[in-house]
Amino acid sequence: MTATDSTQFPASALPYIKGVNLGNWLVLEKWMNPALFDGTTADDEYYLPTQLSPDVYEARIRTHRSEYITERDFATIRSWGLNSVRIPVPYFIFGDRPPFIGCIDELDKAFNWADKYGLTILIDLHTAPMSQNGFDNGGISGVCKWAQLPDEVEFVLTVLERLAQRYGTRESLMGIEIINEPNTTTSWSMMDVTERYPAVDSELAAGTGPIAFDWLKDFYVTAYHRLRAHLPEDKAVVFHDGFDIWQWKDFMRDGNEFKNVILDTHQYLMTAEMMGCPQTKEGYDDFVRNTYAPMIEEMSDYFPVIVGEWCLFNSVGCGVDTHGGQSVLNGEEGAAAESLTPQEKRDLYQGVAASQLEAWSKGSGYYYWNYKLLTDTVNTPGWIGWDAWDLGRCVAQDWFPVDHR
């Protein structure tokens, strides 16, 4: 079966997605809200409850969740002319993996808010027990063993099933993403997990390694069928490319078996820098036009393609080489003062916004990462340029074009 023979849900049948991620709400990322980790040495969500009393941990988590995203945020997102949100959720969302605190009530509220403001939701299973990538946002830094643990693989499948059962008939559900950013044999060396995210417990991390594509493809097929048993065909099953978009041309080609499957790829300028993209506005624009745009266009012959994570962040805006997006929390020194004038920054960010949005238009849409972060990039040393991760700050500074409603 060729690309054009596929009877899968065609890209033309999907409303073009203009969305934003609600990261750091239900899945914590320390750099986006360092204060939540005050009084601990924890760098991720796995170790945070081990360094706080149960009462303090629960109070922090519940306060954070109730304040970080509210109904007003859904109204704001809609007012920017966006039509969808991608919500990262943890594997313990149902509250069955103590000491972690479940968050299904928050997701219920999000669906009610989405219904009111006319937004759709992509549920993104962002973490797995013992992690699918070893990133801090994978739940536990420096450990990537989930795929080696059959009981935990099955547990993730049951989480997906329960999400599909609970939300499968909700009008505002766009789809469910099987697992976020599995760290594969293609990406493992470049991500340099063991150095960038050193493990706290070397014994726990023993055996850590990348996920093979053959295994991942088998898992995705199994997950598709487990999800589709509870999802109507107008709800998408979304899978991440494992940081290698070219792996998937021959995947799920039988349109009679696989319906409404969407390919998610995450493309950041910081990753382009790691691949040799010159750290200049012209360099970014050329890379996006000549690498990202044709890639999205070609793969859209096989699946509807969404760029589930991207942003305006780049090293030029930071005034220093961030070595792939490493911050002061990774031991990198940020710039002591702004190297660009406000107008120069505006020109930089408006330019990379335009080139990326044009590239993503070759596919079926995008979700900006992220809606907000709580890090004070003005008064806290070392964070110059990191405000570009916050869509609200980008809109406020006229860096990102919005269709106000």
Side-chain angles (χ1 to χ4, degrees):
M1 177 176 283
T2 66
T4 54
D5 291 331
S6 175
T7 57
Q8 286 205 35
F9 207 72
S12 60
L14 290 171
Y16 189 79
I17 292 167
K18 297 191 295 181
V20 66
N21 283 275
L22 303 186
N24 192 50
W25 181 28
L26 306 180
V27 175
L28 303 183
E29 298 195 32
K30 182 176 180 178
W31 70 273
M32 299 173 76
N33 186 8
L36 200 57
F37 290 76
D38 281 354
T40 78
T41 60
D43 287 325
D44 54 50
E45 198 156 4
Y46 184 86
Y47 286 103
L48 184 61
T50 71
Q51 298 189 27
L52 298 171
S53 71
D55 289 348
V56 170
Y57 171 64
E58 181 170 356
R60 283 195 190 184
I61 294 298
R62 295 203 182 280
T63 299
H64 164 76
R65 289 175 180 168
S66 67
E67 295 179 349
Y68 189 76
I69 296 294
T70 68
E71 178 187 353
R72 184 177 181 84
D73 296 300
F74 277 67
T76 297
I77 290 166
R78 184 58 179 167
S79 76
W80 292 341
L82 303 182
N83 58 22
S84 192
V85 291
R86 180 173 180 261
I87 303 183
V89 301
Y91 63 87
F92 52 81
I93 184 171
F94 288 100
D96 51 359
R97 299 293 295 243
F100 308 109
I101 298 168
C103 48
I104 198 67
D105 290 345
E106 286 79 3
L107 192 55
D108 284 347
K109 291 178 181 178
F111 270 91
N112 294 336
W113 295 330
D115 287 344
K116 178 175 180 179
Y117 292 100
L119 299 173
T120 63
I121 291 176
L122 171 58
I123 302 173
D124 154 43
L125 186 57
H126 211 73
T127 68
M130 291 297 100
S131 189
Q132 74 281 13
N133 51 35
F135 307 156
D136 56 346
N137 59 59
I140 178 170
S141 299
V143 177
C144 184
K145 295 169 63 174
W146 161 72
Q148 305 170 32
L149 306 170
D151 288 347
E152 299 294 21
V153 171
E154 174 59 27
F155 179 78
V156 162
L157 290 168
T158 68
V159 173
L160 292 169
E161 285 179 317
R162 284 179 281 170
L163 289 169
Q165 288 170 333
R166 192 178 189 97
Y167 301 111
T169 59
R170 292 296 294 258
E171 183 179 355
S172 53
L173 178 68
M174 186 280 269
I176 297 177
E177 184 156 3
I178 295 171
I179 194 73
N180 180 67
E181 294 188 344
N183 199 346
T184 61
T185 48
T186 293
S187 53
W188 188 259
S189 296
M190 184 175 72
M191 298 298 181
D192 198 16
V193 166
T194 55
E195 291 297 320
R196 184 167 177 171
Y197 304 104
V200 171
D201 184 338
S202 58
E203 290 188 14
L204 189 64
T208 282
I211 296 175
F213 276 102
D214 286 347
W215 185 94
L216 185 60
K217 291 176 180 180
D218 286 344
F219 173 73
Y220 279 164
V221 169
T222 299
Y224 172 87
H225 289 297
R226 298 275 285 264
L227 282 167
R228 188 56 78 204
H230 309 286
L231 283 182
E233 288 184 6
D234 65 335
K235 309 300 184 184
V237 174
V238 182
F239 72 95
H240 183 265
D241 65 4
F243 303 103
D244 189 347
I245 199 169
W246 303 116
Q247 284 281 340
W248 307 99
K249 287 186 176 181
D250 297 323
F251 186 60
M252 290 190 179
R253 289 293 86 214
D254 186 347
N256 294 316
E257 180 179 2
F258 301 107
K259 305 286 189 181
N260 197 3
V261 179
I262 295 176
L263 172 59
D264 176 23
T265 188
H266 297 172
Q267 303 295 342
Y268 286 109
L269 295 177
M270 63 182 184
T271 309
E273 293 174 358
M274 295 169 72
M275 295 167 64
C277 171
Q279 294 184 14
T280 63
K281 177 181 178 298
E282 295 74 22
Y284 298 141
D285 288 344
D286 286 345
F287 193 93
V288 170
R289 282 197 305 269
N290 298 318
T291 301
Y292 287 161
M295 176 181 73
I296 300 295
E297 186 170 28
E298 180 174 345
M299 286 306 297
S300 292
D301 286 338
Y302 297 86
F303 294 94
V305 178
I306 60 172
V307 181
E309 295 185 19
W310 70 285
C311 69
L312 304 186
F313 176 84
N314 60 73
S315 289
V316 174
C318 293
V320 295
D321 186 346
T322 66
H323 301 105
Q326 298 192 63
S327 72
V328 293
L329 298 181
N330 303 107
E332 295 284 338
E333 286 192 22
E338 291 278 7
S339 59
L340 301 176
T341 67
Q343 185 58 52
E344 288 171 333
K345 271 210 163 179
R346 192 173 298 115
D347 291 343
L348 168 68
Y349 287 132
Q350 286 182 349
V352 296
S355 60
Q356 288 181 97
L357 288 168
E358 173 62 24
W360 311 154
S361 74
K362 307 296 184 183
S364 296
Y366 64 83
Y367 291 93
Y368 194 94
W369 187 281
N370 187 47
Y371 170 65
K372 66 188 290 188
L373 65 155
L374 297 183
T375 310
D376 183 345
T377 61
V378 176
N379 296 298
T380 310
W383 291 97
I384 288 174
W386 288 76
D387 48 352
W389 290 96
D390 182 319
L391 184 57
R393 300 184 207 190
C394 293
V395 170
Q397 296 176 89
D398 196 25
W399 298 344
F400 187 92
V402 294
D403 177 19
H404 284 294
R405 292 180 182 270

